[in-house]
Amino acid sequence: MSARGRCAKVLPSELNKVCPERGDDPATHPRKMSDFEVVPNLQQSSSSVSKSRRKAHFPTGSNEKENLISWIPENIRKKECTYFVESSQTSDSGRIVCECGYLREQHLDDAAKPPIFLGKEWDPSRHIQEMPTDAFGDIRFTGLGQKTGKYVRVSSDTPPRVIYHLMTQHWGLDAPNLLISVTGGAKNFVMKPRLKNIFRQGLVKVAQTTGAWIITGGSHAGVMKQVGEAVRDFILSCSHKEGEIVTIGIATWGTVYNRESLVCPMGGFPAEYVLDEENQGSLSCLDSNHSHFILVDDGTHGRYGVEIPLRTRLEKFISEQTKVKGGVAIKIPIVCVVLEGGPGTLDTIYNAITNGTPCVIVEGSGRVADVIAQVANLPVAKITMALIQKKLSVLFQDTYELFTESKLVEWTKKIQDIVRSRQLLTVFREGKYGQQDVDVAILQALFKASRNQDHFGRENWDHQLKLAVAWNRVDIARSEIFTDDHDWKPSDLHPVMAAALISNKPEFVKLFLEQGVRLKDFVTWDTLVYLYDNLAPSCLFHSKLQKVLLEEREHTAGSKMPRLQMHHVSQVLRELLGCSTQPLYPKPKHTERPRLSIPVPHIKLNVQGSSLRSLYKRSAGRVTFTMDPVRDLLIWAVVQNRRELAEIIWAQSQDCMAAALACSKILKELAKEEEDTDTTDDMLALAEEYEHKAIGVFTDCYRKDEERAQKLLTRVSEAWGKTTCLQLALEAKNMNFVSHGGVQLLYDPDGLGVVKMASLYIKDFWNKLDICAILVFIAGLTCRLIPSTLYPGRIVLSLAFIIFCLRLMHIFTVSKTLGPKIIIVKRMMKDVFFFLFLLAVWVVSFGVAKQAILIHNEERVEWLFRGVVYHSYLTIFGQIPSYIDGVNFNIDQCSPNGTDPYKPKCPETNADNKKPIFPEWLTVILLCLYLLFTNILLLNLLIAMFNYTFQQVQEHTDQIWKFQRHDLIEEYHGRPPAPPPLILLNHLQLLLRRGLLRQPATHHKLKEKLEKNEEAALLSWEMYLKENYLQHQQCQEKQNTEQMIRDIAQRVDVLAELLDLDRVKRTGVVEQRLGSLEDQVHQSAQALRWMMQALRGNGFSSGEDVPPVALDTKEMDLQGKHEESQPPHHVLARNLLYPGSHTLRFPVPDEKVPWEVDFPLYDPPAFSADHKDMAVQDPFSLSLESLLKINYNTMDGLIDRQSFHGLYAVQDGLPLNPMGRTGLRGRGRLHCFGPNHALHPVVTRWRRNLDGSIIRKSLKKMLEVLVAQYPLSDVWALPGGSLEPGETLPLKLKWILRREFWPQFQNLLKQGTEVHKGYLDDPRNTDNAWVETVAISVHFDTQNDVEMKRLNSFLQGCDPELCIRWQVLDKRIPLHANHKELLHKVSTLLGAYY
């Protein structure tokens, strides 16, 4: 604890002791408070944190340290007590402490010298000040391995946006798709082992699958410890990449034990933290399994709950942010998960429900969670104070005595309000959702809340679907969204379909196709451009597109990068598919074709601007469809190597065989340029898979009809660049496909241009050999004819003869036996080529060393080359020089001075006896090593390479031979039949026909363009057989042994789960029946007791003492539902927080609402607002003198104080609300005591189709109602409101109508039907002032009603923020709750749908 005071006085020289990584820094010197004001725009450091750094347990880089050190002190503060006032309480050690809880030495030096202006009383608002935080960085838990997280100490007044900026920008966290706020018991509690496992596994599953943040209290106790252990177990059982779960602990700084180790003005990187539970006392240790900590400081010590307000504000701020992921923009949803808990947990649940946050209560965890879970299914009227008292006595045995009567009243009221919002409350019961299905319960709670949320039209369903796509939970989408409750149009799914494609979610793509999305309707030209705009940056195809755009910019000399068009995509695709295909997307003639401006890189579905939904609406009227949308999507998926997506789309394709072969070609070409080895392997594997698909489909076709199958091979495919399946297979070198029996006689030499034929001719190895032989022959023949070069001519001709002989080997490729052997020889030549590089290193190294040791200053270049290279090379084959060891040295075999041109120069010798003097031992060692590595190592390596090549070719001998036959057949059809020299006659004939007579070339072509009807029938037949092939593949997969074992294991698990679930359900039914039986027995006993007392009195008692008869269970359920739909007492008028103020009502449970019920504890606060802008209002003071001037139950001047319900009681000069207690005295925000009269006209018309017919739903006509949204209001309302004294129309109604129409509207009201007249349950009501309204239905029955047209023409907005609209009448329409009750009555009156 002493570190608190010491930290504020740290000297620069002492920083190295506290933070060893830091030295002197001027930031540590004292500064004025004004110097540390938070910059409104969040001052950022010069360099931003890399978004790729997401893992909190990784060590912080130097750039991140600099960012934090410069940014945090300027934007984040802590709180310090600046005035020491001795407290009556002492510390745990008995020492004197300040009112803030800290010791004297833990304060600043000036705090012990109180100035005069500070006063004597300790005031937190004056005596606690903010200053730059001194605790942030990385936290490492000592003794627990490499567990490292992030932490920061923040002031309790820190704006949530600053903390969110810190987490997303500096801590590098991705914005969450879901926020899970876990609350409950702060002390350790016992859970059933099974329930604990279900909760842990379900929580981490929902966090991991949806990309959620989990927020807890962060301490190593209670529910926070349960969450931490759940995350720990998940990380240990998963891979490093999968085990990333963001768990944020928001704790109170003043209650953290060992927090002094976290103090470091320049940041701890890392700060070592010791988790010491034994000595923590009343404080708490941080949990080591959380990844991030936000430590909230209010300047006090040992006071729990300080973090709750900031945590609430932060969670609300995050839930208001928009997250864009996978092309879908969603508001980040939040859910509260509750385990166990005490009074603070109840407040948290109540606040969450009040703010519209769904809550999941885990039944069986204990205390508050069990209290709510056990009464959640009861009607609110059955939740009485006696029942809550009974539950508390059972579940709070240790602390039950602390519950006073006032606490019991407050708990009853809050639990009633919680249960009343059933749409926000989900109780997880073990066995109800199945084992390990807490994740489903959490997501269902969110959908349940969203489904019951008020909305216009289909906004709610769109929101739910966007959530499911963002979470990638197709199971939830199937069970919760695509149900009978809503009819989805295929066009409604187009935006989320695009989002699923971009974010690579194949299961959703499959689901949308099942729901009726047609790719021909979905894929437009603009959609394709958008999809290619959103290619993954790491994709090779993306880089190739960027290269094309750069080349175009350089060609046009423009400064801006040209916008991506489909002809750019076509240019890259042609490189991949080969020049034999024509461009798939031709360049448009008019480059300035009007196009949609599509935002990049995300599809924002719920924000302003151009959206994908508007894209489909706007492009629907134009013919923008491509020729084959399925092909276009397939290419888009294949170029990104997305296996699952491509497989789903290929299954939809019609020209499936050509599509599979084209995909194989594209993938093989991309694999050649891909740098990542794993991606290359995936591409090649996927290419092989598509080749097998093409073989499978062709095999089925060939078995059914050989003639049709051959047509499929030679048919010109318009969709794939006017090429054929056979040509695609040959281009892709798909040997397995070409070697198929049905393909062998169908090669296509193709009619090509001269340039293209020349290029293809040169690519062939044998043609290169031909050119070489002819050129050498011509050179030799020329030399032979010249007498002076006769001999060189003979030499050249001999070389030409060798080449011609080698060329003859091509004939052997016809043989099935010798053909593959020639291929082996060709491939072995490549092996030899690379082997020579290794061999040259050893030959040259040994040759140079040998020459330098043996020979001195050899000047003859030819003998120098012989000694270094030639002799060294021959040594490998056993021709070892005789003079290398000196034993066999003979001076007659060499030239001493190197003058003899036919002898090598002699080695270094003795001048006396001419004996060698070089180190023989060294040359012998070098020779041995040389022979060892060359003869044994390198030659055996070459043999192994040859063996590998041989085995590779030998395994596929048949496929290779059949594929090579294509060259011979093409040569047969493409070359003249006559042998040389008669071939000259054929060439002369061709020259005459092509050059002089201009006759076109005739080729043996296997390329056929079919008629449209024949082609359509052929493709339909192919597609039918493709479906058979896919079904056959699925059957084979199911019959696979491993798959059968997995299926059986899955069925056993499901069976065990069902048995377990049945056991739990049976237990629950038995408990329910026993409870019902117990109640009936109890009531029977009461009846018998009454009968006995009556008999003893020799007569019958009065009927008032007869005990109530027990109701049947079904009757109780029906009665409960009726009470839920029609609450007996006002509800909105008893909301604890009074609207437009900070006043809290006195809690009034349902049973204490009537004035007739005795309620001694009732002591409501008083509140009356002062409306300075109103000319007429009652006094806001409750003095008896001012109240006696008011005349109740009559006309009081212009103010009508008469109630539609008759006379109301007046007590102490104040009228009493005829509907009972509200928990607040005074008139609140109303103008008058007693009734405040209002008028609410309900203007409706029938909803019609374009042809004028009335739209029906559930056999009932649908209505449209006129609604308005007034300024400074978030909800819509009926066009009416309070009546001013003496006025007949409400002021709010006059706002939306022109003055000249007011009299006519009054006539409409007189002709209308009154649907309600009396009390209105309004949140502004109090004990002494309430709203009474008259609701009049004004309905226009005909479409051409003159009055309706005049009404529409006279609608106006006196304020630009005032909105008016005709809205479909539905129970989910977002209006005030009391207005919806009026709409229900109108729909009932007109017999319309509601």
Side-chain angles (χ1 to χ4, degrees), residues 911-1208:
D912 298 332
N913 53 13
K914 302 297 182 180
K915 295 294 182 180
I917 60 173
F918 59 86
E920 300 177 13
W921 62 271
L922 180 59
T923 56
V924 171
I925 292 177
L926 291 178
L927 178 64
C928 294
L929 292 175
Y930 174 66
L931 294 176
L932 174 66
F933 281 97
T934 53
N935 283 27
I936 298 178
L937 183 62
L938 292 182
L939 289 180
N940 280 281
L941 174 63
L942 180 62
I943 294 171
M945 293 169 63
F946 285 167
N947 184 48
Y948 175 75
T949 301
F950 179 84
Q951 289 181 354
Q952 264 195 328
V953 177
Q954 193 68 21
E955 289 177 0
H956 308 285
T957 299
D958 186 64
Q959 290 88 345
I960 294 175
W961 174 71
K962 290 179 179 179
F963 186 80
Q964 293 297 327
R965 287 181 62 206
H966 165 264
D967 297 335
L968 289 177
I969 297 174
E970 184 175 352
E971 184 178 356
Y972 171 77
H973 290 292
R975 291 192 176 189
L982 300 178
I983 194 173
L984 294 175
L985 299 177
N986 291 100
H987 287 299
L988 289 174
Q989 180 188 7
L990 289 173
L991 180 62
L992 291 173
R993 290 178 56 188
R994 299 289 298 277
L996 298 178
L997 301 179
R998 303 290 182 181
Q999 293 181 1
T1002 57
H1003 295 279
H1004 179 79
K1005 295 179 60 177
L1006 293 175
K1007 188 172 184 179
E1008 183 179 2
K1009 186 174 179 63
L1010 304 179
E1011 295 294 333
K1012 289 187 177 180
N1013 294 336
E1014 184 181 3
E1015 184 178 20
L1018 187 64
L1019 292 178
S1020 299
W1021 178 70
E1022 180 191 19
M1023 193 170 183
Y1024 168 74
L1025 292 178
K1026 178 202 67 179
E1027 298 295 336
N1028 291 344
Y1029 165 73
L1030 292 176
Q1031 292 179 2
H1032 179 67
Q1033 290 295 107
Q1034 292 178 357
C1035 293
Q1036 283 187 336
E1037 290 180 1
K1038 291 181 179 179
Q1039 292 175 0
N1040 187 13
T1041 306
E1042 295 182 359
Q1043 184 64 34
M1044 292 177 65
I1045 293 174
R1046 285 194 294 266
D1047 292 341
I1048 293 173
Q1050 184 178 3
R1051 291 175 183 175
V1052 171
D1053 292 340
V1054 172
L1055 182 61
E1057 182 178 343
L1058 290 175
L1059 291 173
D1060 197 9
L1061 179 62
D1062 183 66
R1063 178 187 60 80
V1064 175
K1065 284 184 177 180
R1066 287 182 180 180
T1067 304
V1069 171
V1070 171
E1071 291 179 354
Q1072 184 179 2
R1073 290 180 177 178
L1074 288 176
S1076 177
L1077 180 62
E1078 183 181 356
D1079 293 339
Q1080 293 183 16
V1081 169
H1082 177 68
Q1083 294 184 6
S1084 300
Q1086 286 183 333
L1088 289 173
R1089 192 179 300 109
W1090 171 81
M1091 292 172 62
M1092 292 175 64
Q1093 292 176 354
L1095 291 173
R1096 287 175 183 174
N1098 295 325
F1100 295 97
S1101 300
S1102 62
E1104 298 177 356
D1105 297 331
V1106 178
V1109 180
L1111 294 175
D1112 184 67
T1113 305
K1114 294 183 179 179
E1115 294 178 359
M1116 292 177 65
D1117 292 341
L1118 293 175
Q1119 179 181 349
K1121 290 182 180 179
H1122 177 73
E1123 291 175 354
E1124 290 293 316
S1125 59
Q1126 300 290 337
H1129 311 294
H1130 47 202
V1131 176
L1132 299 178
R1134 291 184 291 130
N1135 291 341
L1136 289 183
L1137 180 62
Y1138 189 81
S1141 71
H1142 297 288
T1143 304
L1144 292 176
R1145 298 179 188 263
F1146 190 90
V1148 182
D1150 288 5
E1151 59 192 295
K1152 299 295 184 181
V1153 171
W1155 294 107
E1156 296 79 11
V1157 178
D1158 189 30
F1159 196 8
L1161 292 176
Y1162 187 62
D1163 185 18
F1167 173 70
S1168 297
D1170 184 10
H1171 299 281
K1172 296 181 180 180
D1173 57 335
M1174 301 301 298
V1176 179
Q1177 63 174 335
D1178 286 346
F1180 54 89
S1181 65
L1182 299 182
S1183 62
L1184 186 60
E1185 181 180 355
S1186 60
L1187 295 176
L1188 290 177
K1189 299 177 182 179
I1190 302 175
N1191 298 318
Y1192 298 109
N1193 289 310
T1194 184
M1195 289 294 298
D1196 187 12
L1198 294 177
I1199 303 176
D1200 184 6
R1201 301 189 189 273
Q1202 302 174 86
S1203 172
F1204 295 132
H1205 298 277
L1207 298 177
Y1208 50 84

Side-chain angles (χ1 to χ4, degrees), residues 1270-1336:
Y1270 296 98
L1272 304 178
S1273 176
D1274 295 332
V1275 295
W1276 293 74
L1278 294 174
S1282 301
L1283 288 169
E1284 299 297 322
E1287 296 290 337
T1288 57
L1289 291 179
L1291 179 61
K1292 290 186 176 180
L1293 183 61
K1294 294 179 179 179
W1295 285 358
I1296 67 173
L1297 294 175
R1298 296 182 186 174
R1299 180 180 293 274
E1300 55 267 28
F1301 192 70
W1302 291 356
Q1304 299 177 33
F1305 193 81
Q1306 289 180 345
N1307 294 332
L1308 290 176
L1309 292 176
K1310 292 179 182 179
Q1311 299 171 11
T1313 304
E1314 185 180 285
V1315 295
H1316 177 82
K1317 185 176 182 180
Y1319 184 83
L1320 188 67
D1321 187 10
D1322 193 283
R1324 298 171 296 173
N1325 292 350
T1326 68
D1327 286 355
N1328 314 120
W1330 58 93
V1331 176
E1332 294 188 9
T1333 189
V1334 175
I1336 300 177

